[in-house]
Amino acid sequence: MAIDLSSLNKKQLEAVEAIDGPLLVLAGPGSGKTRVMVYRAAYLIDKGIAPSSILMNTFTNKAAEEIRERVFSLLRDSRNDLLSNTNQSQPLIGTFHSICAKILRVEAHELGFSSRFTIYDEDDQERALKHILEELGLISKQFSPKKAAQTIANLKDELIGPEEYEEKAETPYERTVAKIYPLYREKLQSSNAMDFGDLLYLIIKLFEKNPPLLIKYQDRFRYVMVDEYQDTNIAQWKLMNMLAAPHGNLCVICDEYQGIYGWSGADFRNILSFQEQWPNAKVVILDQNYRSTKTIVSASRN
């Protein structure tokens, strides 16, 4: 039995059925963004696409779990038995960091890590940097472990490594960061640990240095979807474009008026450049709001 699409409005249906080639979905709050993502995944599976070839990126674990449950529910309601309970035959749904961590657990040996590497949280990062700063006699009110951790995290989001940063460092602060950045990387490596920034940074560097490995994951993930695309940073943008490059089946769903993760490096140019990167992209605008009045929607865009 086929998926029932009768509850979708015209624009939602257009986005769901546009499964071949790049797709940019512009949508505001209450216009059915998550609904489109859920139905689109179920529609792909219903059309015979292998569930394991679908990659769905979200910005929170809660959103990932909601989407997973709704996709399963939709397929159960249509009596579709193409989705099993084994991980190998399910879409990979999660945050950028959780997805990268799963891949790195398999491929970590290529980077000199074991598959049981530790993922440092903010406290772990600051503790490691504090030791480095104390050893160098650099810790002060002007140069704290917390500030150093944030600077390095921003550099990784922009795919700037220690060597590249050292060449660009000009100010006293930058030259200090240039000293501790490689020491921090060495400490992580020796501790068989990665921080959150590494999860994206290292997998991109690995794919760049090992094209056959990139092809392996490009062949696996033939359909890529990204929710809240307006909040992606440079590393996230790079990874999704790398994976989608050979097949072109990249669907991004975004609200051009809401970039809630700007403080974490989200790059609004990702939206502006999408059609430059994918000139044959289809654009669908979800303009029917089911939650807010026209006045509220209008105000949110000013």
Side-chain angles (χ1 to χ4, degrees):
M1 184 181 298
I3 297 292
D4 182 7
L5 304 176
S6 61
S7 64
L8 301 175
N9 65 38
K10 183 179 178 180
K11 292 295 186 179
Q12 290 171 342
L13 181 62
E14 184 180 358
V16 166
E17 292 183 331
I19 61 176
D20 296 317
L23 173 66
L24 172 61
V25 180
L26 296 175
S31 59
K33 291 183 293 182
T34 302
R35 185 177 183 81
V36 164
M37 200 166 186
V38 167
Y39 270 83
R40 196 169 186 276
Y43 183 75
L44 283 165
I45 295 167
D46 196 56
K47 285 294 181 182
I49 303 301
S52 59
S53 69
I54 301 171
L55 176 65
M56 304 175 72
N57 291 271
T58 66
F59 263 84
T60 67
N61 291 316
K62 181 179 179 181
E65 188 57 35
E66 178 188 352
I67 288 172
R68 184 180 295 107
E69 290 178 357
R70 289 174 62 177
V71 170
F72 268 83
S73 177
L74 196 56
L75 290 168
R76 281 196 302 269
D77 290 346
S78 67
R79 299 179 184 177
N80 190 318
D81 61 357
L82 294 174
L83 198 59
S84 77
N85 289 321
T86 62
N87 288 331
Q88 290 75 17
S89 57
Q90 292 183 16
L92 182 53
I93 307 172
T95 64
F96 282 95
H97 293 103
S98 68
I99 287 170
C100 289
K102 287 178 181 178
I103 295 174
L104 285 169
R105 293 291 179 196
V106 178
E107 311 296 349
H109 62 281
E110 297 282 352
L111 294 163
F113 293 84
S114 83
S115 62
R116 303 182 71 177
F117 62 83
T118 300
I119 300 176
Y120 275 11
D121 60 18
E122 290 182 4
D123 289 339
D124 295 323
Q125 288 175 266
E126 291 177 22
R127 193 176 301 113
L129 284 164
K130 181 180 180 182
H131 290 156
I132 294 171
L133 290 169
E134 287 176 339
E135 289 174 3
L136 296 176
L138 293 173
I139 196 162
S140 67
K141 291 183 179 179
Q142 290 73 34
F143 204 95
S144 67
K146 185 179 184 68
K147 185 175 181 180
Q150 185 59 61
T151 299
I152 292 174
N154 291 340
L155 290 172
K156 290 179 180 180
D157 285 346
E158 295 176 8
L159 301 176
I160 299 173
E163 296 82 5
E164 182 183 357
Y165 187 69
E166 184 177 13
E167 294 177 359
K168 295 181 177 180
E170 295 180 352
T171 68
Y173 177 80
E174 291 172 346
R175 288 194 290 271
T176 302
V177 173
K179 289 181 182 178
I180 66 172
Y181 191 0
L183 295 176
Y184 176 58
R185 181 173 66 175
E186 290 171 9
K187 186 170 184 61
L188 287 171
Q189 186 90 44
S190 64
S191 302
N192 193 40
M194 302 180 191
D195 60 27
F196 281 103
D198 283 328
L199 296 176
L200 279 111
Y201 175 81
L202 289 177
I203 203 167
I204 290 171
K205 295 302 179 183
L206 177 59
F207 284 161
E208 288 177 339
K209 293 178 181 179
N210 192 335
L213 191 64
L214 172 60
I215 292 172
K216 169 185 172 181
Y217 286 96
Q218 288 173 332
D219 286 344
R220 176 181 172 184
F221 300 123
R222 293 173 178 257
Y223 294 86
V224 180
M225 282 188 272
V226 183
D227 193 17
E228 304 293 357
Y229 184 72
Q230 77 279 352
D231 291 326
T232 54
N233 60 35
I234 292 173
Q236 292 161 342
W237 176 88
K238 175 79 171 181
L239 180 60
M240 291 303 97
N241 278 276
M242 290 176 78
L243 290 173
H247 305 291
N249 299 319
L250 174 62
C251 168
V252 301
I253 302 175
C254 59
D255 180 352
E256 58 185 325
Y257 296 98
Q258 290 193 358
I260 62 174
Y261 284 91
W263 51 267
S264 66
D267 196 329
F268 193 77
R269 290 171 296 179
N270 291 352
I271 299 175
L272 302 179
S273 65
F274 185 84
Q275 288 175 283
E276 295 177 9
Q277 180 79 14
W278 303 95
N280 62 327
K282 181 181 181 65
V283 180
V284 177
I285 301 174
L286 304 183
D287 52 9
Q288 185 170 345
N289 189 288
Y290 292 94
R291 261 192 266 150
S292 306
T293 66
K294 290 183 178 180
T295 301
I296 295 174
V297 173
S298 178
S300 72
R301 298 187 174 189
N302 294 326

